[in-house]
Amino acid sequence: MNKQEVDTFEKVQTQLEGLHMEISALSKKSQNDALNKFKLKFVNQILDSANSLLGENYKPFPDFTLFDESDIPTTSDAAMMLTQYLSCFEKLRADNVKQSSSGRWYWIIDGKESDIKTIMPKKIKEK
């Protein structure tokens, strides 16, 4: 990854997490309700950005790109897909960070450890 991709990754991951929290809360109230078109527009915009970052190697499903606006998804469908995207974002993070000798985590930029701090990936458990 390069610095611009790391910046975009952090922005899009934060947006995915926010959408996931919001839509999961809606899903718990009524999982079969349709997502409204206003929310769907933003979900698709963020998924489009996520797809660009993830590429074919990290995308959750090869045959899913965006929700079809003519077939509005339910809140539970949207929550499920956002969960999958968040998991794939963590895999991408895990593959592109390194723990320094001080115990802090840093992004690997253009193949080298950078000075850009990050958090420990959720997929890596401390011993």
Side-chain angles (χ1 to χ4, degrees):
M1 294 182 75
N2 61 42
K3 185 176 181 337
Q4 179 61 42
E5 289 170 328
V6 169
D7 290 342
T8 303
F9 176 97
E10 291 177 341
K11 176 186 176 191
V12 174
Q13 184 178 37
T14 300
Q15 291 175 311
L16 281 169
E17 289 170 348
L19 279 174
H20 183 258
M21 284 181 11
E22 181 73 24
I23 292 174
S24 291
L26 291 172
S27 179
K28 286 179 184 172
K29 289 180 183 178
S30 187
Q31 65 182 4
N32 292 323
D33 280 357
L35 198 62
N36 69 44
K37 285 191 178 203
F38 177 79
K39 288 182 182 81
L40 181 59
K41 173 184 165 187
F42 294 107
V43 168
N44 276 342
Q45 284 178 2
I46 294 166
L47 289 177
D48 188 47
S49 296
N51 287 329
S52 294
L53 279 167
L54 294 171
E56 292 303 316
N57 291 335
Y58 289 95
K59 250 177 77 172
F61 303 102
D63 59 343
F64 178 83
T65 304
L66 301 173
F67 288 107
D68 184 352
E69 291 185 12
S70 65
D71 185 20
I72 305 279
T74 64
T75 56
S76 65
D77 291 341
M80 178 197 75
M81 290 307 292
L82 291 170
T83 298
Q84 295 300 313
Y85 272 82
L86 284 169
S87 294
C88 290
F89 259 60
E90 275 306 305
K91 172 64 174 145
L92 180 60
R93 177 197 303 276
D95 289 351
N96 287 280
V97 298
K98 184 177 182 180
Q99 188 174 23
S100 71
S101 58
S102 68
R104 294 182 186 211
W105 289 86
Y106 293 90
W107 283 98
I108 299 168
I109 303 290
D110 298 325
K112 299 176 187 165
E113 185 178 316
S114 72
D115 60 351
I116 303 172
K117 293 179 188 173
T118 188
I119 59 172
M120 181 180 86
K122 295 173 186 166
K123 297 281 183 198
I124 298 175
K125 299 190 190 282
E126 291 184 298
K127 294 178 183 178

